[in-house]
Amino acid sequence: MSSFTIQSSAPIVITNKTPASADNVWVTIYGSLITNPGNNQTPAPGVTYYLVPPAEGQTQVVPTAVNDLPPPGPASPDGVILPSYTLAQWGSNLSLPAPAYTGDTSGNNNQQYTGRILISVGAPTQAQVSVTPTLVSVSSPSPASPQDPSTGTFYDFLEFTVQSNADGSINVDIDTSQVDAFGLPMQLQFFKDAAATQTYNVNFTGDTTAGSNQVNNLTATVGLVQGVPVTGSGIAAGSAVVSVPTGANPSSMILNLDATATASAAALTAVMAGPVGVIGVRDDIFNGTDMSNFATFIKEQSNKDYASPFMECLDAAPMRIVSPKDICENPSVSASDALSNYFNAQVDHFFLQYFTSPATPSPGVPTNGGGNTFSLQSSAFGQPLTYSGSVALQSDGSYALALADASNTDPNSYTIYYPFSTQNALADYTPVFPVAAAPSWISAAMAMESASQMIFACDAVFADNTLRGLSGAALAVQGDLENSISAAFNRGIILSDPSTWGDSTTWYPDEQPFNYWVKYWHQNGLTESGLAYAFPYDDKFGSSTNIQQSSVGNISITLSTWGSSPMPTVTLTAPASSTQGGSLQLAASVSGSGASPTGSISYFIDGCVMADVLGSTTTVPLANGQAASASFAIPALPDGAYTHTYTVTAVYSGDVNYQPAVATSTVQLTGPSGDFAVSLNPPQFPVGTNVSVTVVLPVATVAGTLALNLIDSTNAVAASVAPTTVNAATNVIAFDIPANVLSFTGTVTSDNNQIENVSSTNNLTQGQVLTGTGIPPGTTVVSFNPTTVTMSANANTDATGASTTVVSNAALVGYAIQAVYVPSDGTAALTGQINFAFQG
């Protein structure tokens, strides 16, 4: 079993305040072990490891390589799923391991373990293992995918990075995130000690002035950084550091809120390692009546009913609220969707503001450019530098904001490309600037994103520093400039002077479009100190939940309350097996400690909603706590063709007395094509053809035999290829299809168009060509019954009348080529097949 050397670990203590018990809350931890080269170089992809609870008598979690998991096969759902373990199974042994130190004296080339902590309630998440020729990785559950296998449960995640230092201590970096969605309210805090009594807070003094957000004459502020919450005498609730001078012991700071009192040497505290996260009650976020209710907030802010697209599984509970980033990434969302075009006008206003129109008008070139110079300070080069420039035509025909360091300290030049291109041009919106092809380093998929999607996701032309092949300081500066501009769009301040972008009091202005999702999650009272990770660059100017410290003794994660109602028990009744393309007979019951539960049940299979076969209803109402047994149509599943074990979930909607809840079961579905893929070359052919049969076996280690059978519509074997030894997953085998695969005996009589005493009419159809003694060339089948075939022509005069063998060309009849793999280790055989019809 592959693992990595652990230098030390940081204990994780999860406090469960959800209405679910410890054996119904699941935790999956996985990440990549990468070597960080330092100097702003991009690390190469590393091996992915997931964590396994320690064996009995042990205390250390075990990092296990994902590629050590059993390979995909009939027993695995849609591929390999990462194991998940309950809080009860983890016990008190959950911890985050730091790999051994491998860096040089400067810390370069040091290992770090970085990934996600997935937490779910009701059923384990199904993080899928993705296999490419060069890398085995994990695809985390995605709210953007309508068929994600984790859709039918409640889940959320934290992101982490942990690494060792040369002195033996470890650095831990974790954040909570609403970048993709919100599912569970969670808080996070680090403590110096395992007992969680010693915080990392910095206590210092400073002079405050009522009505001013600047605090002067600071003392003992070592470690004070941007984004850190500040409390103390005269400090408004929800205050956080907007900016602080560089240096080891800064003497002043700017807060996001004005002081409420004037005081000298006021006692202040910087909250350095949390708590951060969502403190709002889950019930209030989904169903409340005030601004903590997401739908109410969106409508109040926008004067539009924007909330519905954000709700996932709305009829079921709902399970999650989905971010605009992930809504736009949903394949079912069109390019003309309102969110996909939300920032269009603002993009054009921004680029026009810094464009000088030519003195001589050119066709299509805007004549109303503002002629301003863009200036933005960045410290990514290693010192504060101001990058200035304007929008200009590039050599490839595109437009971009071209920037350079005004002092020439940084010799590099930088460009932020206009996000409209020929690949994402829309029929219902005309960009102000002429569009060209997207930069060559932008992938085809990203180039097709709308400009607004690029802003919500902070990707494509707003995150291309690595794609360009940049390195060192140039990589860092390009990324920092793109971070700042994307953040300014999301916060609604892109048209303001960039020197003010760090002032959080200017964010989300009423007169400009901004990302309502971001403002919602930064509300005081909903999140700790108003901090949140609501979009990918929310850490810009220190407003995110990211916390990092050395020598962490306790990583405290609190799964907070869902509301005052209890969670009932859901029981799901499902068969052990069925057939893909068929139906499942399902039933569920809900029981609680008080009143009989009302509401409804929704059924999912690997994240896909199942509909009632008869009424096309996706939900079943409860009656006395029971959901009537119903037959549900199995939807088109991600693999669609093979035999696998799938996860079925029954989601209870909740009611005024009870929380939503989930029950889960597994069912093995037999695919129409069996256990693996079979393909033919050519795909269609007449009898008597030599075809190539390609078989792709769903096992990593192949050792056994492979045989082929030609199967007719009655499942009888008409021809075979004898078993041959195979040792590779992909195999191409020749199959000579006999010309007489469809033959029968009968009595042929001269000058008569009927064949009598027919042995079998299986697989016969009208129009098939017949050959045999006494049958004229080109004769076809006109009709038949079990004992007689009527031909299109009379038999020849020399027909004997004796029993003779007649052969059909088998055209228009369904046949199949079946492959049978028999492992040499004695385990069960696997089969796959492909159906086809012979050509005439």
Side-chain angles (χ1 to χ4, degrees):
M1 181 177 67
S2 301
S3 187
F4 62 77
T5 302
I6 299 173
Q7 182 154 313
S8 60
S9 298
I12 300 176
V13 177
I14 297 181
T15 301
N16 177 28
K17 295 182 179 180
T18 75
S21 61
D23 58 3
N24 209 24
V25 176
W26 305 74
V27 180
T28 301
I29 302 179
Y30 71 92
S32 296
L33 183 67
I34 62 176
T35 300
N36 192 339
N39 299 318
N40 292 311
Q41 303 296 312
T42 303
V47 175
T48 299
Y49 295 86
Y50 69 100
L51 301 187
V52 177
E56 186 175 352
Q58 304 295 315
T59 59
Q60 179 62 62
V61 298
V62 181
T64 303
V66 169
N67 53 13
D68 282 348
L69 288 168
S76 60
D78 306 331
V80 176
I81 297 296
L82 212 57
S84 192
Y85 305 94
T86 66
L87 287 181
Q89 289 173 305
W90 285 109
S92 60
N93 296 317
L94 186 59
S95 62
L96 202 57
Y101 185 79
T102 58
D104 57 22
T105 55
S106 301
N108 298 329
N109 296 312
N110 191 26
Q111 293 183 121
Q112 60 186 36
Y113 183 46
T114 180
R116 285 188 172 185
I117 302 171
L118 300 174
I119 301 177
S120 62
V121 174
T125 54
Q126 295 189 72
Q128 296 177 305
V129 177
S130 175
V131 180
T132 68
T134 58
L135 187 66
V136 178
S137 59
V138 174
S139 299
S140 192
S142 171
S145 171
Q147 292 188 331
D148 187 272
S150 295
T151 296
T153 193
F154 304 98
Y155 69 81
D156 221 312
F157 67 88
L158 304 95
E159 298 169 307
F160 71 86
T161 297
V162 59
Q163 64 181 12
S164 300
N165 300 316
D167 63 1
S169 64
I170 63 174
N171 290 338
V172 180
D173 184 323
I174 306 182
D175 63 70
T176 63
S177 176
Q178 279 76 56
V179 168
D180 296 304
F182 166 78
L184 307 175
M186 295 190 293
Q187 297 93 53
L188 168 70
Q189 186 170 9
F190 292 170
F191 295 93
K192 294 180 180 179
D193 63 321
T197 59
Q198 302 174 26
T199 67
Y200 288 88
N201 297 344
V202 174
N203 298 311
F204 59 103
T205 62
D207 298 343
T208 62
T209 302
S212 172
N213 65 345
Q214 182 163 333
V215 183
N216 298 312
N217 300 321
L218 305 182
T219 61
T221 54
V222 175
L224 190 64
V225 294
Q226 188 180 65
V228 175
V230 176
T231 62
S233 177
I235 300 299
S239 293
V241 178
V242 170
S243 62
V244 62
T246 58
N249 197 6
S251 61
S252 67
M253 65 180 177
I254 302 295
L255 300 178
N256 62 323
L257 300 175
D258 293 338
T260 59
T262 299
S264 296
L268 308 175
T269 298
V271 182
M272 299 297 291
V276 295
V278 177
I279 57 178
V281 176
R282 192 181 190 278
D283 268 359
D284 294 340
I285 292 171
F286 284 100
N287 306 309
T289 57
D290 59 10
M291 293 291 279
S292 66
N293 174 269
F294 180 75
T296 300
F297 177 89
I298 293 291
K299 191 167 186 178
E300 178 75 18
Q301 295 292 307
S302 65
N303 295 318
K304 297 179 181 178
D305 186 10
Y306 274 164
S308 293
F310 295 85
M311 297 291 186
E312 184 173 72
C313 308
L314 187 60
D315 292 335
M319 313 298 291
R320 272 166 292 286
I321 315 175
V322 182
S323 74
K325 164 188 170 291
D326 279 53
I327 291 173
C328 290
E329 290 175 358
N330 189 322
S332 66
V333 174
S334 69
S336 60
D337 181 83
L339 283 174
S340 295
N341 293 274
Y342 183 76
F343 286 111
N344 285 357
Q346 203 73 343
V347 167
D348 276 331
H349 289 164
F350 171 70
F351 278 84
L352 269 176
Q353 185 169 310
Y354 302 107
F355 176 70
T356 301
S357 299
T360 303
S362 300
V365 178
T367 59
N368 59 338
N372 298 326
T373 299
F374 178 90
S375 293
L376 177 64
Q377 189 178 86
S378 171
S379 298
F381 192 77
Q383 57 184 295
L385 299 173
T386 299
Y387 294 86
S388 302
S390 58
V391 174
L393 179 66
Q394 306 298 298
S395 60
D396 61 0
S398 60
Y399 284 82
L401 176 61
L403 303 174
D405 168 29
S407 68
N408 292 319
T409 302
D410 180 357
N412 301 296
S413 59
Y414 303 93
T415 47
I416 310 294
Y417 277 84
Y418 187 55
F420 294 104
S421 69
T422 54
Q423 288 99 316
N424 67 3
L426 297 170
D428 50 359
Y429 183 81
T430 303
V432 169
F433 289 88
V435 295
S440 59
W441 51 82
I442 303 296
S443 70
M446 280 191 174
M448 293 178 67
E449 293 179 0
S450 69
S452 297
Q453 182 178 347
M454 293 179 187
I455 291 169
F456 284 131
C458 300
D459 66 6
V461 299
F462 296 110
D464 62 356
N465 55 334
T466 300
L467 302 176
R468 296 187 192 198
L470 300 176
S471 60
L475 176 76
V477 173
Q478 180 72 44
D480 190 50
L481 296 173
E482 291 171 342
N483 293 2
S484 297
I485 290 172
S486 288
F489 271 115
N490 278 282
R491 292 164 177 162
I493 53 174
I494 190 66
L495 301 185
S496 303
D497 185 335
S499 66
T500 68
W501 286 357
D503 182 357
S504 61
T505 62
T506 68
W507 298 353
Y508 325 121
D510 292 336
E511 67 276 9
Q512 299 293 339
F514 57 83
N515 186 343
Y516 295 108
W517 174 268
V518 177
K519 184 179 181 181
Y520 176 77
W521 291 112
H522 282 284
Q523 293 180 92
N524 282 315
L526 182 64
T527 50
E528 291 276 9
S529 304
L531 300 177
Y533 224 133
F535 70 102
Y537 292 158
D538 215 352
D539 53 348
K540 190 66 186 179
F541 302 117
S543 66
S544 78
T545 58
N546 180 259
I547 55 177
Q548 48 186 314
Q549 290 292 333
S550 294
S551 304
V552 176
N554 181 307
I555 300 170
S556 175
I557 300 172
T558 299
L559 308 179
S560 60
T561 180
W562 288 28
S564 57
S565 303
M567 179 176 284
T569 299
V570 181
T571 302
L572 170 63
T573 303
S577 62
S578 188
T579 303
Q580 282 198 41
S583 63
L584 283 176
Q585 190 77 19
L586 301 173
S589 62
V590 184
S591 59
S593 57
S596 180
T598 59
S600 61
I601 294 286
S602 295
Y603 294 102
F604 298 80
I605 180 165
D606 265 23
C608 302
V609 179
M610 285 192 287
D612 187 279
V613 171
L614 298 178
S616 297
T617 302
T618 58
T619 60
V620 179
L622 291 175
N624 298 318
Q626 302 288 323
S629 177
S631 183
F632 285 82
I634 300 170
L637 294 164
D639 69 358
Y642 313 123
T643 300
H644 290 304
T645 300
Y646 294 85
T647 297
V648 177
T649 51
V651 180
Y652 169 56
S653 63
D655 63 13
V656 294
N657 298 308
Y658 297 102
Q659 295 288 341
V662 173
T664 184
S665 183
T666 57
V667 58
Q668 187 177 50
L669 299 183
T670 301
S673 294
D675 300 327
F676 52 82
V678 180
S679 59
L680 304 177
N681 186 26
Q684 288 186 306
F685 46 85
V687 293
T689 304
N690 179 270
V691 299
S692 293
V693 181
T694 300
V695 174
V696 181
L697 298 173
V699 290
T701 302
V702 178
T705 61
L706 186 63
L708 303 178
N709 296 310
L710 178 63
I711 307 295
D712 68 15
S713 62
T714 66
N715 287 325
V717 177
S720 297
V721 173
T724 182
T725 300
V726 292
N727 53 26
T730 301
N731 300 273
V732 180
I733 301 174
F735 198 156
D736 292 320
I737 306 296
N740 62 344
V741 294
L742 202 171
S743 62
F744 60 91
T745 61
T747 303
V748 178
T749 304
S750 298
D751 297 321
N752 191 322
N753 69 342
Q754 290 190 329
I755 306 174
E756 298 179 339
N757 303 319
V758 173
S759 60
S760 173
T761 55
N762 289 336
N763 304 303
L764 281 183
T765 62
Q766 291 181 346
Q768 288 179 350
V769 176
L770 300 175
T771 60
T773 302
I775 299 176
T779 299
T780 61
V781 175
V782 174
S783 63
F784 56 90
N785 60 43
T787 60
T788 304
V789 174
T790 300
M791 302 182 293
S792 62
N794 292 336
N796 296 332
T797 56
D798 58 351
T800 65
S803 178
T804 187
T805 298
V806 181
V807 176
S808 165
N809 68 352
L812 311 177
V813 181
Y815 275 74
I817 289 184
Q818 179 192 73
V820 180
Y821 170 66
V822 179
S824 56
D825 61 5
T827 56
L830 305 179
T831 62
Q833 71 180 42
I834 185 169
N835 301 322
F836 67 95
F838 283 118
Q839 291 179 316

